[in-house]
Amino acid sequence: MLGAVLVTGCGGRPTTHHKPGTSHQEATGGAGALLDARDGTGHRLREVPASGAPAVRVETRPDSDGGWNVHLLVERFQFTPETTGDAALPGRGYARLLLGGREIARAYGPWAHVPAGARALTARLFADDHTVWAVAGRPVETTARLGAGAPDASPGTPTLTLTHVPTSATPSGRTVDITITDGSVQPPPSRIELKKGELLTLRVTSDRADTLHVHGYDRELSLSPGRTATLTLTADRTGLFEVETHTSALVLTQLVVR
């Protein structure tokens, strides 16, 4: 058996060192047993005991455009967008959202959005190394019905208000200004609706050093304290994509490209 050692690098992120010919997933130690079985999307299961295993449930609220705001309530689990792709550690990772067995989005925090027309949503928990947390050979997941007849969220459950982010139109596309101060995002995290092929410029000013990440586009931008950093991209992929910071794990906005 090939052993693995979890270490912390200069950035404080867990990594694995393993022998040539051993995959990153196989080298991860101390986080359950890697199974040969895979889920419906082709990812290997990582078995953990039922006692102390992560759990997830979903609460949903309709939005004004016919879609759904999704709140993932997890137990014994922590969303860790800053270490996605690293070693699997117990009770850490992210979630994938599936409609009809097909992945439509990844959730790196407790809030997500599902477009109109969805009838049943499955939220499945993944480790940082993209294996699926599992108990008794089954993925840790939950499925919620949407639409008429679906149970309402519990009274008093906080909701995420999605509004349109103020943007300015320019000959070369649209520009969005975002400011981060003391862990607060202004304007509040919202949804930016774009047409496929539209050019978007994000101008972000942060009061501390961090890294901005546009999920789905794999674009990153270094943020320096007190300086405005600019990232421009062409929205050439359709879907829902979150814009987050790595260190502070803040959701800055969501891009909806149609």
Side-chain angles (χ1 to χ4, degrees):
M1 178 178 295
L2 296 178
V5 179
L6 294 182
V7 300
T8 301
C10 59
R13 295 171 58 150
T15 59
T16 57
H17 294 278
H18 52 88
K19 297 181 180 180
T22 303
S23 73
H24 184 82
Q25 294 177 352
E26 292 168 341
T28 301
L34 189 63
L35 306 182
D36 290 332
R38 299 175 184 267
D39 73 346
T41 62
H43 295 84
R44 295 182 69 175
L45 304 187
R46 184 173 294 281
E47 179 83 17
V48 292
S51 175
V56 58
R57 61 187 179 92
V58 171
E59 292 179 344
T60 61
R61 291 283 178 85
D63 68 11
S64 59
D65 293 332
W68 298 87
N69 297 323
V70 178
H71 189 194
L72 304 178
L73 297 101
V74 296
E75 298 178 15
R76 299 173 296 279
F77 185 82
Q78 178 182 357
F79 289 101
T80 51
E82 71 279 4
T83 55
T84 300
D86 285 351
L89 294 179
R92 296 166 63 96
Y94 65 97
R96 297 193 189 213
L97 305 182
L98 303 97
L99 295 178
R102 181 177 62 89
E103 180 184 335
I104 61 164
R106 300 183 187 184
Y108 297 90
W111 289 103
H113 180 265
V114 176
R119 289 295 175 263
L121 170 72
T122 296
R124 184 174 297 161
L125 297 185
F126 281 72
D128 283 330
D129 68 347
H130 308 300
T131 52
V132 187
W133 291 116
V135 174
R138 299 177 62 87
V140 174
E141 62 181 32
T142 187
T143 299
R145 291 185 297 115
L146 306 174
D152 294 331
S154 302
T157 299
T159 61
L160 173 65
T161 302
L162 296 177
T163 57
H164 292 283
V165 177
T167 63
S168 58
T170 67
S172 57
R174 287 198 289 171
T175 299
V176 178
D177 292 299
I178 299 175
T179 302
I180 307 171
T181 306
D182 293 331
S184 175
V185 179
Q186 292 295 330
S190 307
R191 182 169 59 197
I192 304 172
E193 296 196 4
L194 302 165
K195 294 181 179 179
K196 185 177 180 180
E198 189 171 358
L199 194 67
L200 174 68
T201 298
L202 298 173
R203 297 193 307 196
V204 182
T205 305
S206 174
D207 62 348
R208 64 188 62 184
D210 211 323
T211 301
L212 175 146
H213 184 201
V214 183
H215 291 288
Y217 284 83
D218 292 327
R219 295 288 302 277
E220 293 190 347
L221 178 68
S222 295
L223 304 178
S224 299
R227 295 185 179 181
T228 299
T230 301
L231 182 150
T232 299
L233 61 83
T234 300
D236 56 4
R237 298 184 61 186
T238 58
L240 175 70
F241 309 97
E242 287 192 341
V243 181
E244 300 178 322
T245 55
H246 278 175
T247 302
S248 53
L250 296 173
V251 176
L252 305 187
T253 189
Q254 295 177 328
L255 309 181
V256 179
V257 185
R258 296 188 172 96

